[in-house]
């Protein structure tokens, strides 16, 4: 039994992939990221009445003081729909049909009548305050070597606005990404190991790519992971962009849940919730820190802030317990305080003295809070209202430690760890999008049939038929640029061989990168321009690597067209002239070489025209000239 | 109840004793789903709509499906309508529209939330501004508004002032809000405080709704504004920064969907309101001051017609109108106030029969001037009265009101040409016209 089987690891994936449709999901704007300036908007969002439920007025006011949302309105890729100033247009049929196609590819069941829903999101990332989303298919499965993985749902939804900047009391977004269609594929919690999760994500990603209808590049695919172990709870980890990170994130989360369960046992052996609540104490320690050396404490106090001290019964040694590499239980509490009270973080007994807080101060705190054997303490510094808010946040999080793993949504960090983002929403905050009538999936079936991705085996066969060798065909099959290859082959395959195109996409680009070229400069348009020039006979295929290198070097300033001009092919007439000149210049040597004259001449000519003429043609012309 | 279900689905659900809100299970092609039965608005009568566990709705065709009732719905207590008609500082009169409504997450239905408690729960900031009382007058869609409802609203506004309220807010659908505003403006004389018409362009069931900000700033206006006028108060720009109080007889809905759809035409707004700061900035000094001699005279004659002229319109339409017993016609003419000269005879006939014929312009901006071209002079000779810069719809409402009080053509003409509440602006400055960006 593997380590993860013992832990009872269960993982489900939610894969979000942007679709490369001609226009957005609910309007006619192109699906482009763009920086053109079309003005600004300032908005507020408030929870709708029923969602508030029993929230009291004071809490509402707290919320109401909350964030201001600023929106940049890109001119090319947003309209009144993104500004929430116009109702949605009818839903993009291409996107829906792709959802149905993927459902069929999984052997699932398309929903007979598709309903668009509003999922309430009030972090500003949707100008409307909700994300529009629709389930198009249920059920089905994908095959994995360790067993089939079930597919729960296939949904089509709109992407959110792109965050640009976040300040104390505002968040700034660009509206360019808002409304780009996403397909969301959710698997059942059937995955049993970190490596399996990556395999399944790769497989589904490849199926999506094989439709030829998805976007590629950074940020176009995002994975959310639902992870639990026995005794733990299903924790949602959002926003994993790098597939290679998936196993590490799962390992870390499994470990975190395991550690939290161990911490719970230790805690319970010391005291119970009731005893904790009785001895838990909060005290204003501002005067104690009046002459503190810590700069942070000083600057907060000078601005009228306060220092609160918390006696935390039973937590000695546990606040500093490591849950994930570099992240302690104290870090978890800190994250809660940051997210829910808007403070920088906390200090705790397991890490002090440190951060400018001295041993003497720690001793005073211990005395002031009457800290005994297994007690720990926490210090919070900041503006009064925020610190007071933090105190209930801290108390709640400490109490949750007696229950084990809290139900929460976490955000993936780039090092494979994760941090608290928000509590998981209780009941689904969904209600119907009344501006869009339901859509019968029957009407999409014909379109969908054509979009079902071929199996990788089928695709490989068809790539081999285009004249690729097996190695390159496999590379292309797994390449994110598969769609670009097909586009270029369709358009230029008549005169440019499939191997030339594939080699450029797979090998030349790698070579250019290894030589220090900047691949960001080599857009699809650049690649297509080169292939088109080969097609028109203007440049030689052998000159492509050199052109790309010159174009993409960090200090390169020349335009693509001027580089291409330098490498443009020499016409036969010009070539003949060059050959004749060289013969004239070297008459004696040629005569002396006798039979070997051809080789000598070939070398001389190639020296002059390398990159601008093909050797084969040069040889033909030399023979022709020599006969004359 | 099986709301929206017909035919096959209705029969099946009925035979299983299933109602909307019950939990059912559907099994089809090897897939089993459980969820709450939702109302259906499908064109396909075999479709059953279910809300799944994850909150999504989905429609399943019953052909080839097995349906089972899992459990009956738990009855949710609907909070009753309760009105707080006790005196407050500001009265909120609800007439309909989506300015205040709430979503039932369970069924997705949107229903009006108009009691004082519900309004305060919706926008608690209001408590910091004024004590409010609420009256639910009716709940009708803006497009179904009629002059008889104007009368009820006018009476209700008067009652609120008689009870001692300092201002009145009228929640109203936006489509015909300006017609109601004009009707109230002509009917209520000597207003002790502002009558603020307010609506929303984004329904209040969404977090981005403009309704809370519009409502909050309307309460600020009703309580604190120095004028005794009927105003329309809506977003001043697309951002949630301020609202604008437009004079009720000089405002028009100029966009189908934007928050700042309402614009003053041939006039400047009376005030700006900053809801966050809870502040009013009065923009002009020539407003009608609060008065305490309120009189209500809401009488309207609906035998009027708004005639939009276009090339090719035939004069016999006017004969038809005369024959139908119409007492007044407002023409929305071209440019400075014209119709084709083919109409000279019919207009002469109409005015001879005592029918008022008034001219406004479909340009909306600017005033009519029927002396510049020969046609205008001929139309005037036929009895057509130029109505200056009065907006066509405002002229129509004013005519209804004038005919409700006077029968004699000269008397009606006298009313129509008198500026009663700021509807007739004789001075237009250069800045009273919007300029669009051309680059």
């Amino acid at each position: 039994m593997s380590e993860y089987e013992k832990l009872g690891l269960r993982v489900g994936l939610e894969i979000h992939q942007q679709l490369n449709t001609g226009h957005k999901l609910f309007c006619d704007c192109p699906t482009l990221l763009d920086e053109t300036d079309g003005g600004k908007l300032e908005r507020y969002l408030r929870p709708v009445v029923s969602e508030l439920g029993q929230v009291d007025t004071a809490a509402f006011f707290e919320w109401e003081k909350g964030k201001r949302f600023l929106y940049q309105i890109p001119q090319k890729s947003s309209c009144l729909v993104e500004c929430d100033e116009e109702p949605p247009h009818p839903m993009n049929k291409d996107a829906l049909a792709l959802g149905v196609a993927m459902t069929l590819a999984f052997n699932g069941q398309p929903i007979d009548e598709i309903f668009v829903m509003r999922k309430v999101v009030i972090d500003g990332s949707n100008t409307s305050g909700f994300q529009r989303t629709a389930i198009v298919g249920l059920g089905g499965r994908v095959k994995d070597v360790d067993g089939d993985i079930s597919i729960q749902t296939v949904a089509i939804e709109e992407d959110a606005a792109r965050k640009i900047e976040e300040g104390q009391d505002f968040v700034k977004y660009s509206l360019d990404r808002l409304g780009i269609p996403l397909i969301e594929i959710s698997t059942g919690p059937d995955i049993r190991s970190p490596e399996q999760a990556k395999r399944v994500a790769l497989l589904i990603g490849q199926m999506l790519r094989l439709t030829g209808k998805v976007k590629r590049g950074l940020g176009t695919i995002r994975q959310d992971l639902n992870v639990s172990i026995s005794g733990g709870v299903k924790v949602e980890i959002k926003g994993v962009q790098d597939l290679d990170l998936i196993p590490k994130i799962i390992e870390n989360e499994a470990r975190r849940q395991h550690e939290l369960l161990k911490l719970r046992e230790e805690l319970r052996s010391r005291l119970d919730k009731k005893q904790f609540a009785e001895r838990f104490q909060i005290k204003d320690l501002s005067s104690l820190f009046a002459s503190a050396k810590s700069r942070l404490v000083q600057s907060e106090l000078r601005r009228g802030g306060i220092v609160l001290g918390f006696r935390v019964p039973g937590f000695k040694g546990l606040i500093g317990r490591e849950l994930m590499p570099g992240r302690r239980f104290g870090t978890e509490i800190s994250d809660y305080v940051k997210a829910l009270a808007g403070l920088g973080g906390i200090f705790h007994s397991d890490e002090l003295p440190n951060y400018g807080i001295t041993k003497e101060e720690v001793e005073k705190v211990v005395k002031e809070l009457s800290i005994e054997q297994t007690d720990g303490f926490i210090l919070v510094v900041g503006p009064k209202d925020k610190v007071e808010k933090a105190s209930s946040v801290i108390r709640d999080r400490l109490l949750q430690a007696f229950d084990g793993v809290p139900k929460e949504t976490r955000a993936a960090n780039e090092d494979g760890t994760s941090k608290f983002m928000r509590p998981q929403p209780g009941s689904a905050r969904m209600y119907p999008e009344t501006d869009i009538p339901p859509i019968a999936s029957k009407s999409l079936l014909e379109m969908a049939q054509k979009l079902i991705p071929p199996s990788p085996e089928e695709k490989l066969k068809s790539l081999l038929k285009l004249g690729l060798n097996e190695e390159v065909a496999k590379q292309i099959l797994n390449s994110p640029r598969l769609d670009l290859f097909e586009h270029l082959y369709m358009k230029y395959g008549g005169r440019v061989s499939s191997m030339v195109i594939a080699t450029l996409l797979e090998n030349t680009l790698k070579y250019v990168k290894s030589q220090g070229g900047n691949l960001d400069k080599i857009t699809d348009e650049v690649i297509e321009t080169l292939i088109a020039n080969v097609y028109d006979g203007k440049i030689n295929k052998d000159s492509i690597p050199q052109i790309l290198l010159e174009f993409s070097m960090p200090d390169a300033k020349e335009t693509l067209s001027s580089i291409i001009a330098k490498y443009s092919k020499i016409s036969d007439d010009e070539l003949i002239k060059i050959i004749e000149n060289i013969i004239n210049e070297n008459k004696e040597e040629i005569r002396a070489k006798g039979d070997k004259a051809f080789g000598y001449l070939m070398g001389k000519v190639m020296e002059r025209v390398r990159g601008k003429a093909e050797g084969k043609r040069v040889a033909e012309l030399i023979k022709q000239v020599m006969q004359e | 109840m099986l709301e929206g279900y017909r035919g096959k689905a209705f029969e099946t659900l009925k035979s299983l004793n299933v109602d909307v809100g019950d939990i059912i299970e559907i099994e089809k092609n090897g897939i089993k789903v459980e969820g709450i039965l939702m109302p259906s608005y499908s064109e396909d009568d075999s479709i059953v709509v279910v809300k799944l566990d994850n909150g999504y709705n989905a429609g399943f065709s019953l052909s080839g499906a097995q349906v089972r009732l899992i459990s009956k719905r738990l009855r949710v207590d609907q909070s009753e309508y309760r009105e707080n008609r006790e005196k407050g500082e500001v009265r909120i009169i609800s007439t309909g529209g989506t300015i205040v409504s709430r979503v039932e997450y369970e069924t997705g239905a949107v229903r009006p939330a108009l009691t004082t408690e519900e309004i305060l729960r919706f926008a608690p900031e209001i408590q910091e501004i004024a004590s409010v009382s609420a009256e639910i007058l009716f709940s009708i869609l803006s497009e179904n508004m009629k002059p008889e409802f104007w009368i009820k609203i006018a009476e209700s506004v008067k009652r609120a002032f008689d009870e001692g309220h300092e201002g009145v807010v009228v929640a109203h659908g936006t489509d015909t809000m300006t017609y109601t505003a004009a009707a109230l403006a002509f009917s209520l004389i000597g207003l002790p405080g502002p009558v603020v018409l307010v609506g929303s362009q984004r329904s209040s069931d969404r977090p981005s709704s403009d309704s809370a900000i519009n409502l909050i700033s309307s309460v600020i206006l009703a309580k604190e504004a120095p004028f005794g006028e009927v105003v329309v108060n809506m977003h001043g720009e697309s951002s949630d920064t301020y609202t604008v109080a437009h004079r009720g007889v000089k405002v028009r809905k100029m966009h189908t969907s934007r928050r700042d759809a309402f614009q003053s035409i041939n006039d400047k707004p009376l005030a700006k309101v900053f809801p966050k700061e809870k502040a009013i900035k009065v923009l002009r000094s020539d407003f009608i001051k609060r008065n305490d001699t309120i009189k209500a005279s809401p009488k309207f004659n609906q035998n009027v017609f708004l005639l939009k002229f276009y090339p090719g319109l035939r004069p016999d339409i006017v004969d038809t109108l005369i024959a139908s017993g119409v007492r007044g016609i407002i023409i929305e003419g071209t440019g400075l106030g014209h119709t084709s000269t083919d109409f000279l005879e019919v207009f002469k006939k109409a005015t001879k029969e005592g029918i008022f014929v008034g001219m406004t312009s479909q340009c909306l901006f600017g005033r009519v001037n029927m002396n510049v071209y020969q046609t205008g002079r001929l139309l005037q000779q036929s009895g057509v009265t130029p109505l200056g810069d009065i907006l066509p719809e405002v002229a129509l409402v004013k005519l209804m009101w004038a005919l409700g009080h006077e029968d004699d053509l000269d008397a009606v003409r006298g009313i129509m040409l008198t500026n009663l509440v700021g509807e007739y602006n004789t001075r237009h400055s250069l800045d009273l016209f919007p300029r669009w960006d051309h680059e």
Side-chain angles (χ1 to χ4, degrees), chain B residues 179-193:
Chain B
Y179 292 84
T180 303
L184 294 179
F186 294 120
S187 303
L188 297 163
I189 302 143
L191 279 170

mmCIF file with all atom_site columns, all heavy atoms in Angstrom, chain B residues 179-193:
data_model
loop_
_atom_site.group_PDB
_atom_site.id
_atom_site.type_symbol
_atom_site.label_atom_id
_atom_site.label_alt_id
_atom_site.label_comp_id
_atom_site.label_asym_id
_atom_site.label_entity_id
_atom_site.label_seq_id
_atom_site.pdbx_PDB_ins_code
_atom_site.Cartn_x
_atom_site.Cartn_y
_atom_site.Cartn_z
_atom_site.occupancy
_atom_site.B_iso_or_equiv
_atom_site.pdbx_formal_charge
_atom_site.auth_seq_id
_atom_site.auth_comp_id
_atom_site.auth_asym_id
_atom_site.auth_atom_id
_atom_site.pdbx_PDB_model_num
ATOM 1   N N   . TYR B 1 179 ? -42.816 60.149 -18.120 1.00 0.00 ? 179 TYR B N   1
ATOM 2   C CA  . TYR B 1 179 ? -44.224 60.512 -18.332 1.00 0.00 ? 179 TYR B CA  1
ATOM 3   C C   . TYR B 1 179 ? -44.889 60.745 -16.968 1.00 0.00 ? 179 TYR B C   1
ATOM 4   O O   . TYR B 1 179 ? -45.610 61.721 -16.765 1.00 0.00 ? 179 TYR B O   1
ATOM 5   C CB  . TYR B 1 179 ? -44.981 59.401 -19.063 1.00 0.00 ? 179 TYR B CB  1
ATOM 6   C CG  . TYR B 1 179 ? -44.572 59.176 -20.507 1.00 0.00 ? 179 TYR B CG  1
ATOM 7   C CD1 . TYR B 1 179 ? -43.489 58.377 -20.835 1.00 0.00 ? 179 TYR B CD1 1
ATOM 8   C CD2 . TYR B 1 179 ? -45.306 59.765 -21.543 1.00 0.00 ? 179 TYR B CD2 1
ATOM 9   C CE1 . TYR B 1 179 ? -43.138 58.157 -22.153 1.00 0.00 ? 179 TYR B CE1 1
ATOM 10  C CE2 . TYR B 1 179 ? -44.956 59.544 -22.872 1.00 0.00 ? 179 TYR B CE2 1
ATOM 11  C CZ  . TYR B 1 179 ? -43.871 58.744 -23.172 1.00 0.00 ? 179 TYR B CZ  1
ATOM 12  O OH  . TYR B 1 179 ? -43.532 58.533 -24.484 1.00 0.00 ? 179 TYR B OH  1
ATOM 13  N N   . THR B 1 180 ? -44.623 59.829 -16.029 1.00 0.00 ? 180 THR B N   1
ATOM 14  C CA  . THR B 1 180 ? -45.200 59.976 -14.691 1.00 0.00 ? 180 THR B CA  1
ATOM 15  C C   . THR B 1 180 ? -44.671 61.235 -14.022 1.00 0.00 ? 180 THR B C   1
ATOM 16  O O   . THR B 1 180 ? -45.428 61.971 -13.369 1.00 0.00 ? 180 THR B O   1
ATOM 17  C CB  . THR B 1 180 ? -44.871 58.734 -13.825 1.00 0.00 ? 180 THR B CB  1
ATOM 18  O OG1 . THR B 1 180 ? -45.364 57.575 -14.496 1.00 0.00 ? 180 THR B OG1 1
ATOM 19  C CG2 . THR B 1 180 ? -45.503 58.832 -12.450 1.00 0.00 ? 180 THR B CG2 1
ATOM 20  N N   . ALA B 1 181 ? -43.371 61.491 -14.207 1.00 0.00 ? 181 ALA B N   1
ATOM 21  C CA  . ALA B 1 181 ? -42.778 62.683 -13.604 1.00 0.00 ? 181 ALA B CA  1
ATOM 22  C C   . ALA B 1 181 ? -43.492 63.938 -14.104 1.00 0.00 ? 181 ALA B C   1
ATOM 23  O O   . ALA B 1 181 ? -43.854 64.822 -13.317 1.00 0.00 ? 181 ALA B O   1
ATOM 24  C CB  . ALA B 1 181 ? -41.287 62.746 -13.931 1.00 0.00 ? 181 ALA B CB  1
ATOM 25  N N   . ALA B 1 182 ? -43.729 63.992 -15.421 1.00 0.00 ? 182 ALA B N   1
ATOM 26  C CA  . ALA B 1 182 ? -44.414 65.161 -15.978 1.00 0.00 ? 182 ALA B CA  1
ATOM 27  C C   . ALA B 1 182 ? -45.836 65.262 -15.429 1.00 0.00 ? 182 ALA B C   1
ATOM 28  O O   . ALA B 1 182 ? -46.293 66.347 -15.040 1.00 0.00 ? 182 ALA B O   1
ATOM 29  C CB  . ALA B 1 182 ? -44.420 65.069 -17.501 1.00 0.00 ? 182 ALA B CB  1
ATOM 30  N N   . ALA B 1 183 ? -46.525 64.127 -15.374 1.00 0.00 ? 183 ALA B N   1
ATOM 31  C CA  . ALA B 1 183 ? -47.908 64.135 -14.882 1.00 0.00 ? 183 ALA B CA  1
ATOM 32  C C   . ALA B 1 183 ? -47.964 64.663 -13.452 1.00 0.00 ? 183 ALA B C   1
ATOM 33  O O   . ALA B 1 183 ? -48.832 65.475 -13.102 1.00 0.00 ? 183 ALA B O   1
ATOM 34  C CB  . ALA B 1 183 ? -48.489 62.726 -14.956 1.00 0.00 ? 183 ALA B CB  1
ATOM 35  N N   . LEU B 1 184 ? -47.022 64.216 -12.601 1.00 0.00 ? 184 LEU B N   1
ATOM 36  C CA  . LEU B 1 184 ? -47.001 64.673 -11.204 1.00 0.00 ? 184 LEU B CA  1
ATOM 37  C C   . LEU B 1 184 ? -46.636 66.161 -11.145 1.00 0.00 ? 184 LEU B C   1
ATOM 38  O O   . LEU B 1 184 ? -47.208 66.921 -10.360 1.00 0.00 ? 184 LEU B O   1
ATOM 39  C CB  . LEU B 1 184 ? -45.995 63.861 -10.387 1.00 0.00 ? 184 LEU B CB  1
ATOM 40  C CG  . LEU B 1 184 ? -46.324 62.375 -10.193 1.00 0.00 ? 184 LEU B CG  1
ATOM 41  C CD1 . LEU B 1 184 ? -45.221 61.698 -9.377  1.00 0.00 ? 184 LEU B CD1 1
ATOM 42  C CD2 . LEU B 1 184 ? -47.673 62.181 -9.523  1.00 0.00 ? 184 LEU B CD2 1
ATOM 43  N N   . ALA B 1 185 ? -45.701 66.558 -11.988 1.00 0.00 ? 185 ALA B N   1
ATOM 44  C CA  . ALA B 1 185 ? -45.246 67.947 -11.958 1.00 0.00 ? 185 ALA B CA  1
ATOM 45  C C   . ALA B 1 185 ? -46.396 68.909 -12.270 1.00 0.00 ? 185 ALA B C   1
ATOM 46  O O   . ALA B 1 185 ? -46.526 69.963 -11.647 1.00 0.00 ? 185 ALA B O   1
ATOM 47  C CB  . ALA B 1 185 ? -44.097 68.146 -12.948 1.00 0.00 ? 185 ALA B CB  1
ATOM 48  N N   . PHE B 1 186 ? -47.255 68.535 -13.237 1.00 0.00 ? 186 PHE B N   1
ATOM 49  C CA  . PHE B 1 186 ? -48.359 69.433 -13.583 1.00 0.00 ? 186 PHE B CA  1
ATOM 50  C C   . PHE B 1 186 ? -49.491 69.338 -12.561 1.00 0.00 ? 186 PHE B C   1
ATOM 51  O O   . PHE B 1 186 ? -50.235 70.296 -12.353 1.00 0.00 ? 186 PHE B O   1
ATOM 52  C CB  . PHE B 1 186 ? -48.877 69.122 -14.991 1.00 0.00 ? 186 PHE B CB  1
ATOM 53  C CG  . PHE B 1 186 ? -47.865 69.424 -16.069 1.00 0.00 ? 186 PHE B CG  1
ATOM 54  C CD1 . PHE B 1 186 ? -47.398 68.427 -16.921 1.00 0.00 ? 186 PHE B CD1 1
ATOM 55  C CD2 . PHE B 1 186 ? -47.343 70.707 -16.214 1.00 0.00 ? 186 PHE B CD2 1
ATOM 56  C CE1 . PHE B 1 186 ? -46.448 68.703 -17.884 1.00 0.00 ? 186 PHE B CE1 1
ATOM 57  C CE2 . PHE B 1 186 ? -46.392 71.000 -17.185 1.00 0.00 ? 186 PHE B CE2 1
ATOM 58  C CZ  . PHE B 1 186 ? -45.937 69.993 -18.019 1.00 0.00 ? 186 PHE B CZ  1
ATOM 59  N N   . SER B 1 187 ? -49.622 68.180 -11.906 1.00 0.00 ? 187 SER B N   1
ATOM 60  C CA  . SER B 1 187 ? -50.772 67.956 -11.010 1.00 0.00 ? 187 SER B CA  1
ATOM 61  C C   . SER B 1 187 ? -50.575 68.515 -9.619  1.00 0.00 ? 187 SER B C   1
ATOM 62  O O   . SER B 1 187 ? -51.553 68.748 -8.911  1.00 0.00 ? 187 SER B O   1
ATOM 63  C CB  . SER B 1 187 ? -51.042 66.451 -10.867 1.00 0.00 ? 187 SER B CB  1
ATOM 64  O OG  . SER B 1 187 ? -51.270 65.882 -12.116 1.00 0.00 ? 187 SER B OG  1
ATOM 65  N N   . LEU B 1 188 ? -49.319 68.644 -9.169  1.00 0.00 ? 188 LEU B N   1
ATOM 66  C CA  . LEU B 1 188 ? -49.078 69.011 -7.773  1.00 0.00 ? 188 LEU B CA  1
ATOM 67  C C   . LEU B 1 188 ? -48.515 70.421 -7.712  1.00 0.00 ? 188 LEU B C   1
ATOM 68  O O   . LEU B 1 188 ? -47.434 70.694 -8.217  1.00 0.00 ? 188 LEU B O   1
ATOM 69  C CB  . LEU B 1 188 ? -48.095 68.020 -7.128  1.00 0.00 ? 188 LEU B CB  1
ATOM 70  C CG  . LEU B 1 188 ? -48.596 66.578 -7.055  1.00 0.00 ? 188 LEU B CG  1
ATOM 71  C CD1 . LEU B 1 188 ? -47.456 65.615 -6.799  1.00 0.00 ? 188 LEU B CD1 1
ATOM 72  C CD2 . LEU B 1 188 ? -49.665 66.442 -5.969  1.00 0.00 ? 188 LEU B CD2 1
ATOM 73  N N   . ILE B 1 189 ? -49.257 71.298 -7.083  1.00 0.00 ? 189 ILE B N   1
ATOM 74  C CA  . ILE B 1 189 ? -48.830 72.700 -7.014  1.00 0.00 ? 189 ILE B CA  1
ATOM 75  C C   . ILE B 1 189 ? -48.490 73.051 -5.571  1.00 0.00 ? 189 ILE B C   1
ATOM 76  O O   . ILE B 1 189 ? -49.166 72.604 -4.641  1.00 0.00 ? 189 ILE B O   1
ATOM 77  C CB  . ILE B 1 189 ? -49.947 73.620 -7.552  1.00 0.00 ? 189 ILE B CB  1
ATOM 78  C CG1 . ILE B 1 189 ? -50.261 73.203 -9.001  1.00 0.00 ? 189 ILE B CG1 1
ATOM 79  C CG2 . ILE B 1 189 ? -49.544 75.081 -7.501  1.00 0.00 ? 189 ILE B CG2 1
ATOM 80  C CD1 . ILE B 1 189 ? -51.713 73.300 -9.355  1.00 0.00 ? 189 ILE B CD1 1
ATOM 81  N N   . GLY B 1 190 ? -47.426 73.823 -5.399  1.00 0.00 ? 190 GLY B N   1
ATOM 82  C CA  . GLY B 1 190 ? -47.033 74.243 -4.055  1.00 0.00 ? 190 GLY B CA  1
ATOM 83  C C   . GLY B 1 190 ? -46.463 73.106 -3.230  1.00 0.00 ? 190 GLY B C   1
ATOM 84  O O   . GLY B 1 190 ? -46.829 72.896 -2.070  1.00 0.00 ? 190 GLY B O   1
ATOM 85  N N   . LEU B 1 191 ? -45.529 72.368 -3.799  1.00 0.00 ? 191 LEU B N   1
ATOM 86  C CA  . LEU B 1 191 ? -44.968 71.190 -3.110  1.00 0.00 ? 191 LEU B CA  1
ATOM 87  C C   . LEU B 1 191 ? -44.127 71.594 -1.897  1.00 0.00 ? 191 LEU B C   1
ATOM 88  O O   . LEU B 1 191 ? -43.230 72.428 -2.005  1.00 0.00 ? 191 LEU B O   1
ATOM 89  C CB  . LEU B 1 191 ? -44.085 70.396 -4.074  1.00 0.00 ? 191 LEU B CB  1
ATOM 90  C CG  . LEU B 1 191 ? -44.788 69.458 -5.046  1.00 0.00 ? 191 LEU B CG  1
ATOM 91  C CD1 . LEU B 1 191 ? -43.801 68.932 -6.077  1.00 0.00 ? 191 LEU B CD1 1
ATOM 92  C CD2 . LEU B 1 191 ? -45.449 68.305 -4.303  1.00 0.00 ? 191 LEU B CD2 1
ATOM 93  N N   . PRO B 1 192 ? -44.379 70.968 -0.736  1.00 0.00 ? 192 PRO B N   1
ATOM 94  C CA  . PRO B 1 192 ? -43.590 71.268 0.464   1.00 0.00 ? 192 PRO B CA  1
ATOM 95  C C   . PRO B 1 192 ? -42.185 70.668 0.416   1.00 0.00 ? 192 PRO B C   1
ATOM 96  O O   . PRO B 1 192 ? -41.347 70.995 1.261   1.00 0.00 ? 192 PRO B O   1
ATOM 97  C CB  . PRO B 1 192 ? -44.398 70.596 1.585   1.00 0.00 ? 192 PRO B CB  1
ATOM 98  C CG  . PRO B 1 192 ? -45.708 70.240 0.984   1.00 0.00 ? 192 PRO B CG  1
ATOM 99  C CD  . PRO B 1 192 ? -45.489 70.062 -0.479  1.00 0.00 ? 192 PRO B CD  1
ATOM 100 N N   . GLY B 1 193 ? -41.935 69.781 -0.550  1.00 0.00 ? 193 GLY B N   1
ATOM 101 C CA  . GLY B 1 193 ? -40.608 69.168 -0.626  1.00 0.00 ? 193 GLY B CA  1
ATOM 102 C C   . GLY B 1 193 ? -40.449 68.449 -1.946  1.00 0.00 ? 193 GLY B C   1
ATOM 103 O O   . GLY B 1 193 ? -41.362 68.437 -2.772  1.00 0.00 ? 193 GLY B O   1
#
